Each structure stands twice: as C-alpha cells, then as structure tokens.
Amino acid sequence: MGEKPLIGSLDGKITKCPPFWFMRQAGRYLPEYRELRSKTGGFIDLCLNRAASTEVTLQPIRRFDPDAAILFSDILIVPYGLGMNVRFEEGRGPLLDAVYDAKGLDKLSIDRNWSRIESTYETVESVKSQLDADKTLIGFGGSPWTVATYMVEGKSSKDYAAVKGWAYRETEGFERLINLLVEATIKHLSLQIDAGADVIKIFDTWAGVLSPEEYQKWVIKPSSKICSELKRRYPNVKIIGFPKGVGIGYLDFASKVGVDGLAIDTSVPPEWAAEFLQNQVTVQGNLDPIALIEGGERMIDQARNIRESLQNGPFVFNLGHGVLPSTPVENLITLAEFLRTPLQ
C-alpha cells in the first residue's frame, strides 16, 4: 500500500509541498468531459451511469495528477434516493418538487427508493480499482441544511425565504426533515466508505446564510451527529467539512463538529486560518476560482501566499470553491506544477 499524502496531511503531517486536489476538478471546463456529456442523457443519468461517472472521476487525475480523486456525483443524489423528483435544466440548475410540510415529508423514505442510487457505490468501487496506491479517493455528500434548502425551495435560491421560514415557523416539522437527512446522509456516506472511499467530504454550501443561533441548530448539531456516527463506524476514515461563508463560525465548526480537515472559502484570510484553526484541524484552501480563470502571476502569487501562510501546519491546497466552467485547462496545469515545487 503506497503512502497517501492527503491522508498524511489529515493525520497532521506537515510537508514542504502540500497535497492538493481541486473542488469540481471534474466538469465542464474539460473538453473530454464535454465530449462524454454530449453522449449521455440528463445530468442525474450521468451521475448514476457507473462507466461514465467512473471515467469523469478519473479525467482530472490523468490531466493534473492531483493527490485525490473525488467521486463524480451530486449532493442531490440523496433526495433522489429518498424518492424526490430531481432534474437539471440548462441555465436554471437543479429543479425539485418542493417539500414544505408533513404531508410532503410522508412521501419520502430511505428504504423505499434507495435502489435508485445504488450505482453510486458501484462507481466508487470502480474508481478505487483504477487508482494508484498513493491516490486518495474522496466520497462526499451534502450537509442536511444545504440539501434541505434545495428540497424546500425546489431550486437554487437568492434569499432562502421558504426554507428559513419553515425552520422559524414550525421548528419541529423542519427538524423532522433535518433528522431524516442526517440518517440518509450517514447511510450514503457509509456505503461509499464500504465501497472504498478513503476520505469523506461534507459540503455545506449555504451554511453562511443562517443567523448564529440557527447555524448552531441546523449546521453544527446535525454535522456533529453525522461525524460522530461515521467515526464510530469507521475510526480510521478521515472527514473534511466545508461550511462555506460562515466567517468566524469556522471556529465553532472546528471545535464542535469532529472533522479532521476544514475547507475554508475564498473570503477567509489564510493567516487567520493558520492562527486560529490549524491548531485544531488540517486546513484546506483556498485559492479564488476567479484567480484560477485569470491565471498568470496573480494566480501564482495568491497560491504562494496561501502556501506560505499555512505551510507550518497540516495543510491541503485547494480552491475556495469549485473550478468554474470557463477555467482554462492550462491554468490548472501551471498551478499543479507550482504546487509540486518546494517554495524558495
């Protein structure tokens, strides 16, 4: 078994060249992805096609040789597995038949429809069998709060009025949805680990839209339950959390949730993360995806500052959010070469 640099960093190891991978490293900016995508049906169909999703997961490994592959899937696979209608439309993003009351919740079931997403775990097995021994395989899921935003709003939202309104107005009913998602997420992530995932990442993209009190209730508490149960079942599996946009709320996430790694968004100063987070968790971050689009010296200067700020503690280099569709492939190649070179 080859040593996996990413897992080493999540164990607290400090290296001259940080392990790296990129959020959304498989996707529309790659011509080989666009070619394959043109031959498949809808986006959910692509995610649930074992051969196609395996190929997409491996495409960036061949291109950039990062330290990890992340399963090509989507956080909305879980509501699909619960029985919801989930579809993606060009220019509109995900569309779901919204759930907003007890009657809607009664239609959802972990057991009744889970077979719809079983191919996800076959993809994990397939990717694992093709990865080199030094590469980490990352499985993932969305946090209960972020997944709930799509389930209740029925789509992406600008103000989250429907989901936040339900949480304020009928806390017990909304908590039932969150508890269902905690249970479903634990199942989804456990099955990925059983299939071969080395690391789990929990994406909480919309954690930053909550007030401090609601953040504790709908992000910290459910995420802690998930991590606690996964650690009980799989003590050696590493977990990375990503509560995007929470500002100083990262402190509570680091101290209360039980993750091994904490991904920081673009707005977090790496110097602050080094001082206040790195003594508790491995920090992952946090190049601006727009800097990656622009490339050149500004991109390298920002990447160098991140490395210099975080190099004295456990650290994984990544972006502050995902690779954007207009990103030039050559910029990722340049960045990857910089990351493999020790700082002068």
Side-chain angles (χ1 to χ4, degrees):
M1 177 68 73
E3 183 179 349
K4 300 179 191 293
L6 180 64
I7 291 179
S9 284
L10 292 171
D11 264 332
K13 187 176 180 180
I14 301 170
T15 56
K16 288 184 178 180
C17 294
F20 72 92
W21 64 282
F22 306 117
M23 286 189 273
R24 277 201 216 126
Q25 63 187 17
R28 288 177 289 174
Y29 74 100
L30 287 172
E32 57 265 43
Y33 170 85
R34 294 195 298 271
E35 181 182 355
L36 187 149
R37 180 76 178 85
S38 68
K39 300 173 184 175
T40 59
F43 181 74
I44 290 289
D45 296 326
L46 173 58
C47 291
L48 296 175
N49 180 317
R50 181 185 60 79
S53 55
T54 297
E55 168 60 21
V56 173
T57 300
L58 293 171
Q59 285 173 350
I61 300 298
R62 302 184 193 118
R63 279 275 194 177
F64 316 116
D65 194 29
D67 292 288
I70 183 166
L71 171 70
F72 182 79
S73 185
D74 194 87
I75 64 171
L76 298 183
I77 286 295
V78 163
Y80 190 72
L82 290 172
M84 290 192 79
N85 247 337
V86 181
R87 59 198 185 280
F88 288 76
E89 291 188 9
E90 195 66 35
R92 297 186 67 191
L95 298 172
L96 302 85
D97 298 332
V99 173
Y100 46 82
D101 56 21
K103 187 177 179 181
L105 281 174
D106 289 340
K107 297 177 182 178
L108 304 179
S109 167
I110 289 181
D111 300 317
R112 194 163 53 237
N113 300 289
W114 206 263
S115 60
R116 301 169 90 189
I117 66 171
E118 288 291 343
S119 62
T120 302
Y121 317 116
E122 297 171 4
T123 298
V124 174
E125 290 180 349
S126 175
V127 172
K128 182 76 169 186
S129 71
Q130 298 179 57
L131 277 182
D132 290 342
D134 65 338
K135 302 298 184 192
T136 298
L137 177 54
I138 303 173
F140 76 92
S143 73
W145 165 254
T146 286
V147 173
T149 67
Y150 291 99
M151 292 175 71
V152 178
E153 300 281 343
K155 60 185 187 309
S156 299
S157 177
K158 292 183 178 179
D159 57 16
Y160 304 91
V163 65
K164 291 168 76 173
W166 186 10
Y168 280 126
R169 181 178 60 253
E170 194 193 348
T171 300
E172 286 187 10
F174 185 70
E175 188 169 23
R176 185 181 158 204
L177 170 59
I178 292 295
N179 289 339
L180 174 66
L181 286 170
V182 167
E183 186 181 352
T185 302
I186 290 169
K187 177 174 183 176
H188 184 50
L189 297 178
S190 294
L191 288 169
Q192 290 179 60
I193 295 167
D194 291 341
D198 305 300
V199 169
I200 290 297
K201 183 161 182 182
I202 301 173
F203 288 86
D204 209 338
T205 313
W206 306 123
V209 307
L210 290 166
S211 70
E213 183 181 349
E214 301 295 292
Y215 172 63
Q216 295 292 326
K217 191 180 297 180
W218 306 126
V219 172
I220 296 293
K221 185 179 176 182
S223 299
S224 299
K225 287 182 180 178
I226 292 168
C227 290
S228 176
E229 180 59 21
L230 290 179
K231 288 292 187 180
R232 186 189 69 79
R233 296 182 185 186
Y234 311 98
N236 296 322
V237 169
K238 303 300 179 186
I239 304 173
I240 303 171
F242 184 38
K244 180 175 177 285
V246 299
I248 62 170
Y250 274 108
L251 293 169
D252 269 355
F253 202 96
S255 64
K256 294 180 179 179
V257 174
V259 292
D260 304 285
L262 188 54
I264 56 175
D265 63 68
T266 301
S267 71
V268 179
E271 302 85 355
W272 181 88
E275 182 175 356
F276 294 104
L277 300 176
Q278 229 174 4
N279 61 340
Q280 302 179 71
V281 293
T282 298
V283 172
Q284 177 181 287
N286 67 334
L287 185 74
D288 187 348
I290 303 300
L292 185 60
I293 290 177
E294 295 304 319
E297 282 304 310
R298 292 297 295 276
M299 174 186 76
I300 296 300
D301 286 347
Q302 189 176 128
R304 181 180 290 108
N305 178 62
I306 293 167
R307 287 183 64 179
E308 288 175 346
S309 299
L310 293 164
Q311 66 180 342
N312 295 320
F315 167 47
V316 175
F317 190 96
N318 208 302
L319 308 180
H321 202 210
V323 179
L324 295 166
S326 59
T327 305
V329 173
E330 54 268 26
N331 290 356
L332 280 101
I333 294 172
T334 299
L335 178 59
E337 289 174 354
F338 169 75
L339 296 172
R340 281 191 285 268
T341 306
L343 293 175
Q344 300 302 313

